[in-house]
């Protein structure tokens, strides 16, 4: 990429808006994962008995097991959300920006 | 079954070798891998025999604690996607050091990145080789040394002739086989329980010596410092593993790079859920069966054999043969990926940039990378034999700690922090590497368990919390205090790098 093209891209307000939105989404989802995971880890360190609470009076299933599976599923869901937005909306704007910069 | 797999992979290697003419093919499969293929290959790199047998064995031994590890290994993937994947693809060509040296001075930055990459790869390789030797010894009755040599020689053949194309396809085949085998085993377990999780857990609690304790966290993470430190190493270590990062250069663009993480996260998450079911199934179907226990009541071959025994318990000898072949395939595929990442650090970063200052041509670099593959393979065989009797469990932990503290901070800062300079990147990487290795040696795992001292100098098992902090602090301190003209130029170059990291390789194909 030459300097002139780079300059054109940087001055394009679409670029600034798109990059800010993409980074904000990445930051929010990263924080979401950090809170979920370190919340889980700290619960194990400080209050493991919370995870040992049985789900029903008679059964052996504890709350910790569906919660653990839910963390795995939420990690997958979070990647799905990001990929959906980035691969449709953000990539389309990226193409427009490049076209306007002469590519 | 075992020979069919070896013959098939050698045929792929032969096919791939005819397509590997330039270093672009050797390092990055020519950028022709699709997102789904790459997702499978990434999942293949990550679902090692150690994690399949180790995590199911941990579930077998202590139930819930196995799930804690699985979750730690999985949560790094979203972080890679949100922060690293697309920018890595847009800025680099073959190694993550390409990204770090995009605007920074090549020689110091590539030297330190290659050190971090090689340290990670070699530690990981030793752990895999020792595990492989023991597993093959047990499964096929081969002597340990022969097993290590066979794995080493096959790996050298795949990588040196077939490069990334062969490594990727071996990885994809193995990932599919492993997912099929594990799915079958989990379904067989549930079929035995009348497809009721409640029955599975009830029967497991009934037969397990720890009883209801297996349904909740045990003693794995009791103090908060260790918990956070291990959590950091698992979460950010994945984002600093060179053989994983390298996979993002095999796809066509940022869009495919993102999609491949989505697929990989799905496959890996599904696999860990299966492993959890398999571990609980083994508690019921293997732990209560005298065929699989020795006279003292322990599992024959150790707890890591839980999944292998379960294969026999659910599918008989034929399925046992299948799962054993899959375990062997898994080992081969993972060590191949590691060796390729190590070889690229030697040839692309150290030889071509540091030693020859970018004057080596394509053919010369390709030749060096093949030589480096053979060298690393021989080294892996040698170290695998030397470490036979050693406790190597700490090595994977150390590899993750180095990846999280030496590779990840420098990579992240180079992408996002405009004021990072060459000096900051070098000292950040060096401090992360030094502190991680130093604290690991002084900590309980090496100082007490391996070296036999009574009391550890450093009280915590997991160094990542301290080593990562040291790396970020050093990178920051050495960057902001850098007033050289080179540093000023590097800061100015950030704008251009930033635009390219968002827009891709515009105008250069």
């Amino acid at each position: 990429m030459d300097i002139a093209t780079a300059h054109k891209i940087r001055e394009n307000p679409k670029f600034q808006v798109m990059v800010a939105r993409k980074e904000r989404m990445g930051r929010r989802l990263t924080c979401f994962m950090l809170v979920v995971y370190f919340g889980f880890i700290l619960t194990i360190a400080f209050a493991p008995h919370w995870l040992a609470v049985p789900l029903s009076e008679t059964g052996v299933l504890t709350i910790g097991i569906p919660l653990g599976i839910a963390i795995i599923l939420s990690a997958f869901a979070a990647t799905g959300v990001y990929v959906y937005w980035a691969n449709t909306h953000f990539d389309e704007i990226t193409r427009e920006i490049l076209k306007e910069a002469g590519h | 079954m075992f020979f069919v797999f070896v013959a098939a992979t050698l045929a792929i290697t032969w096919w791939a070798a005819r397509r590997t003419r330039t270093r672009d093919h050797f390092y990055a499969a020519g950028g022709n891998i699709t997102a789904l293929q790459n997702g499978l290959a990434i999942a293949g790199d990550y679902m090692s025999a150690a994690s399949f047998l180790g995590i199911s064995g941990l579930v077998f031994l202590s139930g819930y604690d196995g799930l804690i590890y699985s979750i730690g290994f999985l949560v790094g993937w979203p972080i890679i996607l949100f922060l690293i994947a697309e920018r890595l693809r847009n800025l680099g060509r073959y190694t993550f050091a390409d990204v770090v040296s995009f605007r920074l001075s090549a020689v110091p930055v590539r030297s330190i990145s290659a050190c971090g990459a090689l340290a990670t790869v070699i530690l990981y390789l030793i752990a895999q080789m020792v595990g492989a030797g023991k597993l093959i010894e047990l499964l096929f009755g081969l002597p340990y040394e022969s097993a290590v040599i066979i794995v080493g020689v096959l790996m050298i053949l795949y990588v040196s002739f077939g490069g990334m194309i062969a490594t990727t396809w071996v990885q994809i085949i193995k990932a599919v086989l492993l997912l099929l085998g594990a799915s079958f085993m989990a379904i067989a377990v549930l079929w035995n329980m009348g497809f009721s999780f409640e029955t599975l857990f009830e029967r497991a609690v009934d037969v397990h010596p720890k009883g209801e304790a297996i349904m909740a966290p045990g003693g794995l993470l009791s103090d908060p410092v260790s918990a956070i430190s291990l959590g950091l190493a698992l979460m950010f270590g994945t984002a600093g593993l060179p053989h994983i990062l390298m996979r993002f250069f095999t796809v066509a663009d940022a869009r495919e790079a993102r999609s491949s993480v989505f697929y990989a996260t799905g496959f890996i998450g599904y696999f860990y859920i299966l492993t959890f079911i398999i571990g609980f199934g083994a508690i019921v179907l293997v732990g209560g069966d005298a065929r699989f226990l020795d006279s003292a009541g322990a599992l024959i071959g150790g707890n890591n054999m839980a999944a292998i025994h379960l294969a026999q318990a659910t599918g008989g000898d034929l399925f046992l043969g299948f799962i054993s072949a899959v375990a062997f395939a898994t080992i081969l595929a993972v060590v191949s990926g590691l060796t390729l990442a190590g070889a690229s650090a030697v040839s692309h970063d150290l030889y071509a940039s540091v030693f020859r200052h970018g004057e080596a041509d394509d053919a010369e670099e390709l030749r060096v990378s093949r030589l480096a593959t053979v060298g690393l393979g021989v080294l892996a065989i040698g170290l695998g034999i030397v470490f036979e009797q050693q406790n190597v469990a700490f090595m994977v932990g150390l590899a993750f700690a180095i990846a999280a503290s030496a590779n990840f901070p420098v990579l992240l800062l180079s992408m996002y922090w405009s004021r990072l300079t060459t000096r900051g990147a070098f000292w950040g990487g060096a401090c992360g590497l030094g502190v991680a290795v130093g604290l690991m040696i002084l900590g309980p795992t090496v100082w007490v368990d391996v070296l036999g001292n009574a009391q550890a100098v450093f009280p915590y098992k997991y160094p990542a919390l301290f080593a990562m902090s040291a790396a970020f602090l050093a990178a920051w301190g050495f960057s902001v205090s850098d007033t050289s003209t080179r540093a000023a130029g590097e800061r100015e170059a950030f704008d251009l790098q930033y635009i390219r990291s968002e827009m891709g390789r515009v105008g250069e194909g």
Side-chain angles (χ1 to χ4, degrees):
Chain A
M1 193 186 319
D2 55 276
I3 302 286
T5 315
H7 192 72
K8 256 190 243 166
I9 291 173
R10 192 180 52 192
E11 298 306 315
N12 190 336
K14 275 187 189 168
F15 174 76
Q16 290 158 6
V17 171
M18 189 272 287
V19 167
R21 276 178 61 196
K22 190 158 75 173
E23 284 195 350
R24 194 165 60 231
M25 190 169 77
R27 221 170 22 238
R28 280 185 186 162
L29 286 167
T30 304
C31 288
F32 166 75
M33 276 328 294
L34 287 172
V35 168
V36 166
Y37 178 55
F38 283 98
F40 177 67
I41 287 288
L42 290 176
T43 309
I44 292 166
F46 285 112
H49 52 274
W50 286 1
L51 296 172
V53 175
L55 277 178
S56 66
E57 301 253 316
T58 50
V60 292
L61 194 64
T62 57
I63 199 162
I65 287 175
L67 192 75
I69 305 290
I71 295 176
I72 293 183
L73 296 179
S74 71
F76 180 57
T79 61
V81 168
Y82 184 88
V83 170
Y84 172 76
W85 275 92
N87 281 5
T88 51
H89 303 289
F90 296 150
D91 270 7
E92 201 184 302
I93 302 171
T94 301
R95 271 192 300 276
E96 284 170 22
I97 295 167
L98 288 176
K99 211 161 150 195
E100 285 168 22
H103 274 275
Chain B
M1 210 143 10
F2 166 79
F3 291 105
V4 172
F5 174 79
V6 172
T9 50
L10 286 175
I12 288 171
T13 307
W14 178 76
W15 168 81
R18 296 189 0 186
R19 277 160 185 74
T20 304
R21 278 185 222 96
T22 65
R23 57 179 190 166
D24 204 36
H25 295 121
F26 187 83
Y27 295 131
N32 292 327
I33 305 292
T34 67
L36 178 62
Q37 289 165 349
N38 194 40
L40 272 170
I42 290 173
D45 261 324
Y46 212 58
M47 301 182 298
S48 61
S51 72
F52 175 51
L53 302 177
I55 291 180
S56 54
L58 190 59
V59 175
F60 175 78
L61 180 72
S62 47
Y64 195 82
D65 282 356
L67 188 62
I68 300 176
Y69 262 95
S70 307
I71 291 172
F73 281 122
L74 188 78
V75 290
W77 286 102
I79 303 297
I80 290 187
L81 173 67
F82 306 149
L83 299 179
I84 288 191
E86 59 194 88
R87 291 165 187 91
L88 188 75
R89 178 65 193 83
N90 283 339
L91 291 173
R93 294 197 85 89
Y94 307 129
T95 65
F96 75 87
D98 287 349
V99 179
V100 184
S101 65
F102 189 88
R103 69 189 160 98
L104 304 181
S105 176
V107 173
V109 163
R110 282 192 193 265
S111 308
I112 196 71
S113 300
C115 284
L118 282 172
T120 317
V121 163
I122 289 173
L123 285 163
Y124 220 124
L125 257 181
I126 295 174
Q128 294 286 339
M129 288 304 261
V130 173
K134 295 208 166 131
L135 183 68
I136 294 169
E137 191 180 23
L138 213 68
L139 290 179
F140 305 100
L142 281 170
Y144 178 86
E145 283 83 6
S146 329
V148 169
I149 291 169
I150 291 174
V151 171
V153 169
L154 282 172
M155 153 187 113
I156 291 172
L157 287 176
Y158 295 155
V159 178
S160 61
F161 288 105
M164 185 51 110
I165 303 177
T167 308
T168 302
W169 280 102
V170 169
Q171 206 63 270
I172 291 172
I173 293 175
K174 159 252 157 140
V176 171
L177 289 176
L178 185 59
L179 287 169
L180 286 177
S183 300
F184 177 84
M185 224 189 297
I187 291 170
V189 165
L190 291 176
W191 181 73
N192 267 293
M193 304 298 149
F195 289 98
S196 154
F197 282 100
E198 195 65 37
T199 316
L200 172 65
F201 292 130
E202 265 167 22
R203 288 185 57 188
V205 168
D206 276 347
V207 298
H208 201 283
K210 290 183 188 161
E212 283 190 7
I214 59 171
M215 301 299 288
L220 185 67
L221 293 169
S222 41
D223 76 288
V225 173
S226 299
I228 293 174
S229 204
L230 175 68
L232 285 172
L234 293 179
M235 196 170 202
F236 297 108
T238 308
L241 292 176
H243 62 298
I244 298 285
L245 295 175
M246 199 176 178
R247 292 235 156 265
F248 292 106
F249 303 121
T250 66
V251 290
D253 52 27
R255 179 193 175 83
E256 299 283 296
R258 285 184 212 119
S259 301
S260 45
V261 187
F262 173 66
Y263 290 123
T265 312
F267 289 128
I268 297 168
Y270 171 67
F271 173 75
Y272 282 144
I273 293 174
L274 294 179
T275 321
F276 189 64
I277 298 172
I278 289 169
F280 267 92
I283 294 176
V284 179
L285 300 171
V286 174
D289 190 331
R291 274 187 302 165
F292 305 114
L293 305 175
D294 63 18
S295 52
L299 207 58
I300 296 171
N303 287 319
N304 281 358
M305 295 300 284
I308 303 282
H309 290 317
L310 182 66
Q312 188 165 25
T314 52
D317 284 341
L318 186 70
F319 190 56
L320 172 70
F322 176 76
I323 287 293
S324 304
V326 169
F328 180 73
T330 297
I331 292 164
L332 273 179
V334 172
V335 292
S336 302
L338 285 166
T339 307
L340 182 59
S344 65
V346 172
S347 58
H348 186 62
D349 296 331
L350 288 182
Y351 180 80
S353 294
V354 177
F355 184 65
R356 296 273 283 131
H357 296 284
E359 281 163 19
D361 63 21
D362 199 286
E364 187 182 347
E365 193 179 320
L366 188 59
R367 203 162 53 240
V368 174
S369 56
R370 289 191 157 128
L371 280 175
T373 304
V374 177
L376 273 173
V378 172
L379 184 71
I381 294 173
L383 291 173
I385 292 173
V386 169
F387 281 93
E388 179 185 356
Q389 301 303 335
Q390 303 289 318
N391 177 3
V392 293
F394 74 92
M395 286 188 179
V396 172
L398 181 55
F400 266 81
I402 293 175
S405 347
N407 307 346
F408 171 74
V410 175
L411 183 61
L412 187 78
L413 290 176
S414 76
M415 287 173 176
Y416 288 95
W417 192 44
S418 61
R419 296 179 66 195
L420 182 77
T421 68
T422 299
R423 200 172 76 159
F426 180 85
W427 287 107
C431 279
L433 182 63
V435 174
V437 173
L439 292 184
M440 197 76 181
I441 292 173
L442 296 175
T445 28
V446 176
W447 197 254
V448 179
D449 297 350
V450 177
L451 298 174
N453 293 298
Q455 186 79 44
V457 182
F458 173 73
Y460 300 110
K461 271 167 87 175
Y462 310 106
L465 176 60
F466 305 94
M468 266 179 94
S469 313
F472 278 113
L473 209 65
W476 174 79
F478 281 99
S479 291
V480 291
S481 63
D482 191 349
T483 50
S484 61
T485 39
R486 183 177 74 177
E490 287 165 355
R491 291 187 187 118
E492 256 169 41
F494 181 79
D495 252 13
L496 194 63
Q497 176 195 312
Y498 184 72
I499 290 166
R500 168 142 155 194
S501 78
E502 295 292 342
M503 293 284 115
R505 290 180 201 156
V506 183
E508 41 179 297

